Amino acid sequence: MISVGTAELILRAQGSFHLGVERAIRLREHNPGSLRYLPFSNEHAPELSGRSYRLRIDANGFIMPGAPHLEPDATVVFLGGSTTECLHMDDDHRFPCQAGALIEERTGLAVNSYNGGMAGNHTLHSIDALLNKVPPLEPRVVVMMHNINDFVTLLHHGSYWNDSPTRSLLETIGTYHVFRAVKNLLIPNLFEKIRSLRQKTPDEFKQFRGKKTVIDPTWMAGQFEANLQIFIDMCTAFGITPVLMTQQSRFKEDPDPEVEAETTILATSNGIDYATFRRLHMLFNDSIRAVGAKNGVDVIDLAELVPQEREFIYGTVHLNQRGSDLVSSIIADRLTPILLPVPDAAGAGSGVEAR
């Protein structure tokens, strides 16, 4: 070891080689093959609080269950943020799983339905997932829902391409990754136990608090719409039917106190009042509708179809179990005609295997 170290120092002194930095695309997903139990406590969602929820991840980073068939007749993939992830409910009640089961029940097809939701993800994260791990599944349909994570990212960072330590599109491989690998090798269970005891979720936008935010809604919507178009074009190139969903919310004109309270931090630290926040959310849902109409793509309008009440949504945008049940039924109604085999002129099946 002394000899190797000495040789390295001599070569460094010569200055004929410099390694530089190593970068990687940040594929934001749950660790493939992982299992966790997530405790949940939220004063605004007592019906979900006081228990832990199982989170099982398959070998490709998708939330289980939902893909029970080795040779499915049809495959659907859902991409989005935490509102698609639906962590705080039983496995089979998360709408990507439940919608697949309903479609299977109604059609008689063997349906695999993958949940690719990840808290904090925005459209470009989902586009990365679509490119890097979805095509081998040969899905008939990919459904994407985004809104709030996109406009919050654009509000604070001013760009999708930023240096966020948790949400940037690229990351530099360095000492942190070495220590994380050692931690995962030696004390993963102890670390997870300690982390589960932490009561407060870290503020990913702490660095922007106290700074007045400059808002350009037209530019922000344009950036978002460009990503929606990329998603549609990429699906089309892979022979996949794209479907967009607007995002449900409780952002009513006259908000419930708990909803107004959850946006207060933006008003006090960034100068963004509730009415502005609500308008941005509505604007981005309008962008989804407009891009869908422009491209002839189905839009499942959850913003219109899910009541803006705490019976269906806890906090501001997250579905509870009743909300997930409703959304599952809505999605199954819309996707069933797309996934059913098309009969030929004689009334028989088309002979084309559904994939």
Side-chain angles (χ1 to χ4, degrees), residues 24 26 28 119-122 125 149 152-154 156-172 176-177 202-208:
R26 189 190 294 273
R28 284 179 48 88
N121 278 6
H122 54 58
H125 295 131
N149 288 338
V152 168
T153 295
L154 293 171
H156 290 309
H157 290 283
S159 174
Y160 286 108
W161 294 268
N162 55 64
D163 59 357
S164 167
T166 55
R167 302 191 188 191
S168 65
L169 298 170
L170 297 174
E171 59 180 334
T172 299
Y176 163 77
H177 296 85
D203 182 359
E204 294 183 82
F205 300 105
K206 183 178 179 179
Q207 69 197 88
F208 300 104

Side-chain angles (χ1 to χ4, degrees), residues 143-348:
V143 182
M144 187 172 76
M145 174 170 63
H146 282 292
N147 182 321
I148 196 167
N149 288 338
D150 283 74
F151 81 71
V152 168
T153 295
L154 293 171
L155 270 177
H156 290 309
H157 290 283
S159 174
Y160 286 108
W161 294 268
N162 55 64
D163 59 357
S164 167
T166 55
R167 302 191 188 191
S168 65
L169 298 170
L170 297 174
E171 59 180 334
T172 299
I173 308 302
T175 305
Y176 163 77
H177 296 85
V178 174
F179 282 114
R180 186 175 67 178
V182 172
K183 177 265 295 180
N184 290 342
L185 178 65
L186 298 179
I187 55 166
N189 291 281
L190 177 60
F191 184 85
E192 181 65 19
K193 186 66 176 178
I194 294 172
R195 185 168 69 169
S196 70
L197 297 175
R198 185 172 58 194
Q199 296 297 313
K200 191 174 182 180
T201 302
D203 182 359
E204 294 183 82
F205 300 105
K206 183 178 179 179
Q207 69 197 88
F208 300 104
R209 304 305 179 199
K211 300 178 181 178
K212 186 173 177 59
T213 302
V214 178
I215 303 173
D216 185 344
T218 302
W219 174 83
M220 291 169 63
Q223 295 290 297
F224 181 59
E225 290 173 14
N227 289 352
L228 297 177
Q229 188 65 54
I230 291 169
F231 166 76
I232 291 170
D233 291 344
M234 190 178 294
C235 283
T236 303
F238 285 118
I240 300 167
T241 299
V243 173
L244 297 173
M245 293 202 300
T246 60
Q247 188 176 72
Q248 70 283 334
S249 81
R250 289 170 63 194
F251 295 132
K252 294 183 286 187
E253 186 173 1
D254 184 17
D256 300 331
E258 64 191 71
V259 173
E260 190 170 21
E262 289 209 18
T263 60
T264 296
I265 187 173
L266 288 169
T268 57
S269 67
N270 298 94
I272 303 170
D273 59 18
Y274 171 80
T276 301
F277 197 87
R278 175 175 179 263
R279 283 197 298 272
L280 287 172
H281 194 265
M282 294 171 63
L283 174 64
F284 273 47
N285 276 336
D286 284 341
S287 290
I288 294 167
R289 298 180 186 107
V291 173
K294 175 184 174 182
N295 289 272
V297 166
D298 280 337
V299 175
I300 302 176
D301 201 345
L302 298 184
E304 289 294 323
L305 297 172
V306 178
Q308 293 184 294
E309 307 296 336
R310 76 176 312 278
E311 285 79 12
F312 300 91
I313 302 167
Y314 74 88
T316 56
V317 295
H318 293 95
L319 297 167
N320 58 22
Q321 184 165 307
R322 186 177 178 187
S324 185
D325 292 346
L326 173 61
V327 167
S328 299
S329 181
I330 292 170
I331 292 171
D333 288 343
R334 293 293 296 273
L335 296 192
T336 292
I338 297 175
L339 295 173
L340 279 173
V342 179
D344 59 24

Side-chain angles (χ1 to χ4, degrees), residues 94-105:
R94 294 170 180 140
F95 75 76
C97 174
Q98 190 175 186
L102 286 174
I103 294 168
E104 184 166 285
E105 180 182 309

